[in-house]
Amino acid sequence: DLSPPRFHSGYISMISTAVKRVPPFLARLRSNKTSIRHTMRHSSMMEFGIGKIQPCCTLAISPFSNAGTQPSFSLHKITGVGHIQSKRNHESYNRWFSSADAASVGDADNTMTANKHVHDIRNVAIIAHVDHGKTTIVDGLLRCASESVSLDDDDDADQSSSKEGESDGVALLMDCGDLERERGITITSKVTRLDYLDEATASNENIKTINVVDTPGHADFAGEVDRILTMIDGVCLVVDAAEGAMAQTKYVLSRALKMGLKPVVILNKCDKDDAWARIESGDVEMELLETFDSLGANDYQMDYVTVYASGKAGWATTDLDVARELATGSGDNVTADISMKVLLDVILEHIPAPVILSPDDTNNETDEPVFALAATTVGYDNFLGRLCTGRIYSGTIQKGDIVGVLPRDFTSEDGASVNMATSSISGIFVTRGVTRTDLDPPIASAGDIVTLSGVPDSIKVGDTVTLKSNPIQTPIETPPINPPTLSMEIGANTGPFAGQEGTIVASSKVYERLISETDNNVALNVRKSENDAEKTIVDARGELQLGILIEQMRREGFEMTVSPPRIITTECKDTGDKLEPYEEVIIDVESEYSGQVVNLLTGSRKGVLMSMSDSSDGKTRLEFEAPTRGLLGFGSEVATATRGTAIVNHLFIENRHYVGHIGGMEKGKLVSNDTGKAALFALTNIAKRGSLFIETGELVYPGMVIGENSRPGDLEVNPVRGKEVTNMRTVNKDEKLYVPPPKRLTVEELIGYMNDDEVVEVTPKSVRLRKTELDGKARERAARSRKKRMTASSKNGK
């Protein structure tokens, strides 16, 4: 029998409160298998802090105790902030280079074995929701790390200039592209290197290296996320203390937890209004614990450390009392270190050091370790040649070494050796801030993340780079890529204005650009269309990924035509039934618009409302499960219905049975029937029929969609017709003409908005929606034929 622990007098009232509020929770404590994650009841409502059942303390059995021995009981106190305090003697932590769940050493692939840790390197990823302060946190880490390192005289000038650049430009580190700054999201992964020297360290020989990796948060960039997470050994989850855990971080966090990564939680913006009240009430920590538990975190991962910070104010601490004083504005007498060095020290202490893996099947006759680097990104530089970035898992590399590439799909069954493409390494680089710099001295060893120049041109993402003189026999295992869910055709611009606004118009150039995109964007599948040789079929994870790709090509000078997206269906192996992808949709909206949101998604879009909960700030959180087809074009509709107040996040769940036709989404359009410049007089009358997409003076042509009809069905109009010039003068003739501002849709919005008989015409200067068939009479004949087929099929069904 387990002897009851001794309670402090201060805990008695806490336990009595828990007895009244959470009887099922205390009943669960009587189980001999109770642990931290078992005490958290799974609830989709509590996952985001809406449930108010919060345990004040819990008894937990150490997960590291043997099954045959008596477990050691310990009291895990939840302090005023709800953080579970416990100490464990962790065993050595090894993570295999795979997206599968962490397995034991005996079950792992015997081609690579853990040898030892590299204690002076940490590889960590930053995970955060939009506008939760990720960029500001990394900015503070860069400045703090640069100030801690004493440089040689030769590097003083470079470092001073880089500091000046950091002061002005480091804010662009995490979102350095034009599209990333405009949209406020991370599209491509980036790595920056921090060289940090603790003040307690005696010399510069003990400088620690921290590689900070930024990851996209959206599920559409799954291919980017999966391969980047293989380079790191831990994650820092940045959470806005006033908002709590948000849905956009769930995908990356779930993948990180599944790979066995150790998390560190950073509660940012603690000095915001209402933030500290949520922290002291325990709401924030309970939301985090519920989120971790729902994503399958183990006990090792649930025992995370919490850092309270304010990236804008530049302070961070693990002490609750110090954080309270700083957040409430009474921290003038604080003597403890509250700089971003606290966060750097936490990363060094709690993020595991990288493990050196040693191949077992090498023919190495010496004691020299075999060099192996897994390529996670590839690129090309006009001066340096082919580039690849990745983590070194074993051995060392230096400038001038001859390397070869082992394809990711190569197996030992293919032969004892493979004819590898070889080349000489012309440079070794690391990224400091936003600048790629030479590694000095040009030697990189296991555990580090570097960029190699001069690698063979045949290298692809997932391939293994190894030395020609002492090669590895089996490539490093890389994670599988999730299958695409959306498909569309992209071809050359075939509209009347083709070639007038862009510089690249040939379909062959469009195909070459799409093929080159697959070098890094491994989640894309590109192939030639079987029905039309001038078009290319692109399979992707979602409309956001496709919209980003098309927008990038548009800014590069391409002209193209984009067809409506189609969902990629699969067939069940057991039953042969047709399956389609389903997604979890989480919508935060003002309570007054919740009914409209429910009607939009649960009607013809075939969505199912799973839960609905209200918060104290007048907002409602709605959780749905809906087919991916039903979400096409939903973003613009919900934004209009809720006056832009709705925040929509969705995540792929699984493939389920095909739900049949999804109707009610097609809108009637206003279609031009003449060529020329849109006239003010004509647009004034047309605006009464619906909402316009163009303004006065824009060029139009027959078949171009210039607006949305307020009634079902398409309506042909003449936007070019001007006012008649006569000698008659009346009051009505001279009235002032007015046209409302046009409704501008982005490429991403048009992808989900267009009907099956429409295409999007994309040029560097314009984005137009038009009918696939420009001739109005031909469209009428096609519509009659389509109506007859639908009538015949309905009769046959009856």
Side-chain angles (χ1 to χ4, degrees), residues 669-683:
K669 305 296 173 52
L670 301 175
V671 185
S672 172
N673 61 6
D674 200 354
T675 304
K677 290 186 177 181
L680 176 62
F681 177 77
L683 293 183

Side-chain angles (χ1 to χ4, degrees), residues 616-632:
S616 58
D617 57 353
K619 291 188 177 182
T620 301
R621 173 156 288 174
L622 306 170
E623 297 187 18
F624 300 86
E625 290 184 359
T628 304
R629 286 186 300 145
L631 297 179
L632 295 177

Side-chain angles (χ1 to χ4, degrees), residues 497-538:
F497 297 158
Q500 297 183 12
E501 299 179 352
T503 57
I504 308 175
V505 297
S507 60
S508 59
K509 296 295 183 180
V510 174
Y511 176 75
E512 292 175 1
R513 173 64 177 83
L514 293 173
I515 288 295
S516 64
E517 182 69 18
T518 59
D519 288 345
N520 265 326
N521 202 341
V522 293
L524 289 179
N525 292 331
V526 176
R527 64 187 187 277
K528 278 285 189 180
S529 175
E530 298 179 357
N531 301 326
D532 190 346
E534 298 296 322
K535 294 183 179 180
T536 304
I537 299 178
V538 181

Side-chain angles (χ1 to χ4, degrees), residues 285-479:
E285 285 285 354
M286 287 306 303
E287 293 170 14
L288 289 171
L289 288 173
E290 281 292 330
T291 301
F292 275 76
D293 181 65
S294 65
L295 297 179
N298 56 37
D299 297 290
Y300 171 67
Q301 295 167 328
M302 293 282 280
D303 188 24
Y304 56 82
V305 62
T306 302
V307 180
Y308 309 96
S310 174
K312 185 177 181 180
W315 58 265
T317 180
T318 57
D319 192 311
L320 175 62
D321 297 329
V322 174
R324 181 187 296 108
E325 295 180 9
L326 294 171
T328 57
S330 58
D332 296 337
N333 298 325
V334 174
T335 58
D337 187 6
I338 58 172
S339 66
M340 285 297 169
K341 292 182 180 179
V342 175
L343 181 54
L344 292 172
D345 293 335
V346 167
I347 292 175
L348 292 174
E349 180 180 357
H350 294 277
I351 299 298
V355 179
I356 301 178
L357 302 180
S358 299
D360 290 341
D361 58 352
T362 179
N363 296 326
N364 185 16
E365 298 178 355
T366 65
D367 295 334
E368 181 183 358
V370 177
F371 171 73
L373 178 144
T376 54
T377 60
V378 298
Y380 184 81
D381 187 275
N382 293 331
F383 300 97
L384 300 175
R386 199 66 166 171
L387 306 174
C388 81
T389 302
R391 171 177 166 178
I392 303 175
Y393 283 85
S394 65
T396 59
I397 186 72
Q398 59 181 340
K399 185 177 181 180
D401 285 346
I402 306 297
V403 298
V405 174
L406 205 60
R408 61 173 297 178
D409 55 355
F410 173 78
T411 60
S412 57
E413 299 177 355
D414 297 337
S417 61
V418 61
N419 295 326
M420 298 184 298
T422 60
S423 63
S424 176
I425 297 299
S426 59
I428 303 177
F429 305 90
V430 294
T431 303
R432 290 185 171 91
V434 294
T435 305
R436 186 173 63 206
T437 60
D438 292 293
L439 186 63
D440 188 21
I443 300 176
S445 57
D448 208 351
I449 299 176
V450 297
T451 298
L452 304 179
S453 64
V455 294
D457 292 336
S458 60
I459 190 171
K460 297 180 180 179
V461 172
D463 293 348
T464 300
V465 181
T466 184
L467 291 177
K468 179 183 178 181
S469 59
N470 187 17
I472 187 175
Q473 301 300 311
T474 305
I476 297 176
E477 182 185 357
T478 55

